[in-house]
Each structure stands twice: as structure tokens, then as C-alpha cells.
Amino acid sequence: MSIIEIPADSLFGRDNLPYGIFTVSAEADSARRVGVRVADKVLDLAVLLGDDVFSAATLNPFMAQGRAAWDSARSRIQDAIAADVADAAIFELADVALHLPVDVADYVDFYASENHATNLGRLFRPDSAALMPNWKHLPVGYHGRAGTVIVSGVDIVRPCGQRKAPQDDAPTYGPSRRLDIEAEMGFIVGTPSKQGTSIAPDEFADHVFGAVIVNDWSARDIQAWEYVPLGPFLGKSFATSISPWVVPLAALEAARVATPTQDPTPLPYLQGTEDWGLDIALEVEWNGDVVSRPPYASMYWSPAQMLAHTTVNGASSRTGDLFASGTISGPEKAERGAFIELTWGGAEPVEVAGEQRTFLEDGDTIAISATAPGVNGQRIGFGEVRAAILPAVN
Ligand code: MN
């Protein structure tokens, strides 16, 4: 038996307790199972709490049990780590491999930052209004490709596709020349909803289990040519990375803030009484240099409004559904969550590790991290989503 030591400044104290899926690196036949991170330890929850649901290879069976089970597990974990913990339940973070935490059901990506939507509108459609007429009436989104959602640490093969710059006569095929990131937060549905019903904004916490960091890799040249009129397709679907630790919604109580003022007032189905803006601070590292600090609190639409909108037509939601916020960009240049904005379409390079850079080059590494206020005045962490760019193979 051992006491779990938690340093006072740990981002993974007893008020965070994110869930993930791990194997033991030194064991060739180590089975995937559910762990909770405490400081720099990973606790095997099947051993710690004795519940079979934690022997599963994804979080889905636990997430499907619903909010009462999530609350109960959280308080049992808090009780367990306040006392001696069986050594068989304790692993060093450095000794485990982390895996995709959820079997992703459907994947939706939104476009909820007014700063990002305005910047992209100016860059993609310089001759029209930056925001489309619908933007302040509904959270704009598209359905992405759930099967290419991958966990942090899996590297990204540069996508190939059709590219056509405005001045070109015809498209050409080849590796993307404008490979970009989108720093986002993602929300994971635990409790499903039936087809033909909808989820009101104030029912958000009954359905959403937790949050992860998302990097929505984007090939801007492929995207710019293909997106009219049906939206993003191959410029996005080659890979979407998420962080391995799912921070439970219960850990984000102190991070809840009002969204910015919404004018015009949204339709009633998008109105709730609970604040679900979130004061989450992100940091984007490009080859080791911090190039941006996107503030989630600036997002115009809340995740509760995103889920309400996704289901208002009667579309069901399933355990494992992932919906991402869209690129998070604050009002300042150093708060922009995509390089197309940070470098203004490539016209204003940024200095990265001593070089002038615009879009991603082969061998580059991106790491996006995030923290938020915890309930006891300390900060909690989401960890990071990290990946390197590999050369195209086609
Ligand atoms: Mn996106």
C-alpha cells in the first residue's frame, strides 16, 4: 500500500481526475483498461474500485452508465486516493502507453469563435461580408470523419489531394502545401438521446461526460478548392487528433463562465439558464516555441448550445459522439488558433525556432496544451495533444 503524493502545484490533483485508456509499456500482452491520472501516476480503476466496467478497452461502457455513475465513481476515487492505495493499482505515467480513450461514434466540428470565423471569412471570401448571415443565429458546423480521430502521439502523414490557387487555370494533384492546425476543445457524449428527441441546453451536463483538446488538422489548399457548396471534406478528414485524458465535466465547475453577449438573442431552443462558456487557456507549441495562446472563454457559442443545435432536428446522439468547438481564436494576433490566421494566409510569417514559417513542414511537431481553474483555487490540466508531420506517401 502507498500514499499517492500530490505536489501542491500539480495540474492533476484530486479535483481534476481525468480518465484515459492505458497499457503497461513493459508488458507485451498488456490489456487496454481504464486509468485515472493523479499527479504523475496512473491508477488502474478496475483494481482501485473493483468495477468490471473499468476493464474495458474504451471509456464507452463507463460513459454509457450516465451521470449518477460518473459522480459516484469520482467521489469513490477521491475517497480512495485520500487513503493508502494498493500498489497493484499504481503505475508511473512514464511506464504506460496511452490510447484513444473513446470509441468515437459520430464526429461534428463547429465554427464557434467569432474572431476565427471573421478572420477566415476575410481570407477565404475577401469580397463579401466576413460573417455569413446565419452565423449569429446558429452554431455553424459540419459532420467530420469519426474513423480518423486519433490519439496524441500518432503522427500525421501529409495529405495529398486537389489543389487550385485562384490564379491557377486548373487544379493539380499532390501533397498539400498549406497544411495547418486548428486548436480546439472537444466534448464527448456519454448519455445518448433517442432519435426524434432533442437535448435542451440545460440538459448538457446530463449527457456530456467530459472534454479533450482537439487538433483539427486542415489542408487549406485542398479545403479552399473543395468546400463550395457543401463544406469541408478531404481537407479535414485525413486526421483529427485528441488528447488522451478526458477531463470530466465535474472538474470544470470553476471554469464555467458566461459566453460573450449574444446579439441578436438566439432562438428559444438555444437559450438555457446555465452558463457553459468555459475559461480554458490553451497554448500552441510549434517545434518547441509557443506561438499562440487561444482563450476558450472568448467563444461565442457554448458547447451546450452546440449539442442543443445538433439534436434540435431529432437527430439522436450516441455514447462516444465527439463534437469539437471549432478553432479557438481570441481578439489578439497571438491568440489565433490556426496558422492561416496567425500568418494571415501565409503573408505574415512567424518566427519558429529561429526560422520564418507559414504552414507546416515535414518533420514539424505541434503540441497543444490546456489548463483551467480548478474548484479549490489551483489549476487543472488537460495534458496535451501532440503529433509530428510525416512526408506524403502518394
Ligand atoms: Mn475545425
Side-chain angles (χ1 to χ4, degrees):
M1 303 291 277
S2 304
I3 288 281
I4 306 292
E5 303 282 355
I6 305 174
D9 61 351
S10 175
L11 296 172
F12 297 91
R14 65 191 303 278
D15 298 315
N16 188 352
L17 304 178
Y19 297 94
I21 297 294
F22 76 100
T23 51
V24 182
S25 302
E27 298 172 8
D29 57 350
S30 179
R32 294 190 185 198
R33 68 263 214 188
V34 179
V36 64
R37 180 166 174 187
V38 182
D40 288 331
K41 305 279 194 285
V42 177
L43 306 185
D44 185 328
L45 281 181
V47 176
L48 188 76
L49 301 183
D51 300 7
D52 286 346
V53 74
F54 298 120
S55 299
T58 72
L59 291 175
N60 293 50
F62 174 51
M63 295 195 302
Q65 289 184 331
R67 190 178 179 182
W70 312 336
D71 290 345
S72 161
R74 182 170 175 80
S75 100
R76 287 162 63 208
I77 294 166
Q78 286 172 335
D79 288 348
I81 62 175
D84 280 347
V85 172
D87 292 323
I90 306 171
F91 295 87
E92 295 293 334
L93 182 65
D95 293 340
V96 306
L98 297 169
H99 303 277
L100 193 64
V102 299
D103 184 9
V104 179
D106 287 295
Y107 167 49
V108 169
D109 193 21
F110 284 93
Y111 195 50
S113 160
E114 183 172 2
N115 297 297
H116 174 72
T118 302
N119 287 336
L120 267 276
R122 286 188 183 133
L123 286 163
F124 275 61
R125 296 177 300 276
D127 301 325
S128 7
L131 286 185
M132 288 296 196
N134 60 1
W135 198 88
K136 289 204 165 180
H137 293 278
L138 54 85
V140 169
Y142 67 94
H143 279 95
R145 193 166 188 84
T148 52
V149 175
I150 51 180
V151 72
S152 175
V154 178
D155 291 335
I156 306 299
V157 176
R158 179 180 298 273
C160 291
Q162 287 198 24
R163 315 145 307 182
K164 182 189 163 305
Q167 67 273 17
D168 295 344
D169 293 331
T172 57
Y173 171 85
S176 171
R177 299 177 184 118
R178 287 161 70 90
L179 184 57
D180 197 355
I181 67 155
E182 294 194 337
E184 311 190 10
M185 294 303 299
F187 302 88
I188 298 171
V189 171
T191 305
S193 65
K194 285 201 177 78
Q195 196 166 5
T197 69
S198 59
I199 298 172
D202 283 350
E203 296 172 318
F204 178 70
D206 292 331
H207 289 270
V208 168
F209 175 75
V212 292
I213 312 167
V214 173
N215 188 345
D216 174 23
W217 304 96
S218 299
R220 300 300 180 192
D221 41 2
I222 297 171
Q223 180 187 359
W225 169 233
E226 75 176 357
Y227 87 104
V228 179
L230 290 184
F233 189 32
L234 304 183
K236 302 273 196 176
S237 63
F238 56 95
T240 306
S241 299
I242 66 171
S243 52
W245 295 110
V246 182
V247 172
L249 221 52
L252 292 171
E253 274 301 306
R256 292 174 59 181
V257 291
T259 55
T261 303
Q262 296 181 332
D263 182 20
T265 301
L267 288 168
Y269 81 88
L270 288 169
Q271 296 175 24
T273 60
E274 299 179 355
D275 285 336
W276 279 109
L278 291 166
D279 179 17
I280 300 171
L282 288 86
E283 201 168 86
V284 178
E285 226 182 71
W286 188 350
N287 294 344
D289 275 4
V290 175
V291 293
S292 177
R293 290 189 170 86
Y296 193 89
S298 66
M299 298 297 272
Y300 189 86
W301 295 105
S302 78
Q305 292 175 310
M306 295 175 205
L307 184 60
H309 188 66
T310 303
T311 58
V312 74
N313 64 347
S316 52
S317 62
R318 294 189 287 172
T319 301
D321 279 0
L322 168 69
F323 61 98
S325 60
T327 305
I328 304 157
S329 290
E332 304 301 325
K333 182 170 181 176
E335 296 176 333
R336 295 173 183 166
F339 298 155
I340 191 170
E341 291 173 82
L342 195 63
T343 68
W344 207 251
E348 301 172 12
V350 292
E351 188 173 310
V352 176
E355 294 176 27
Q356 296 294 305
R357 304 295 294 278
T358 52
F359 293 96
L360 290 162
E361 296 183 8
D362 294 345
D364 280 359
T365 294
I366 296 295
I368 307 172
S369 58
T371 64
V375 292
N376 285 335
Q378 84 296 18
R379 289 191 78 77
I380 61 170
F382 286 79
E384 65 172 21
V385 56
R386 172 184 294 267
I389 305 302
L390 303 176
V393 293
N394 294 25

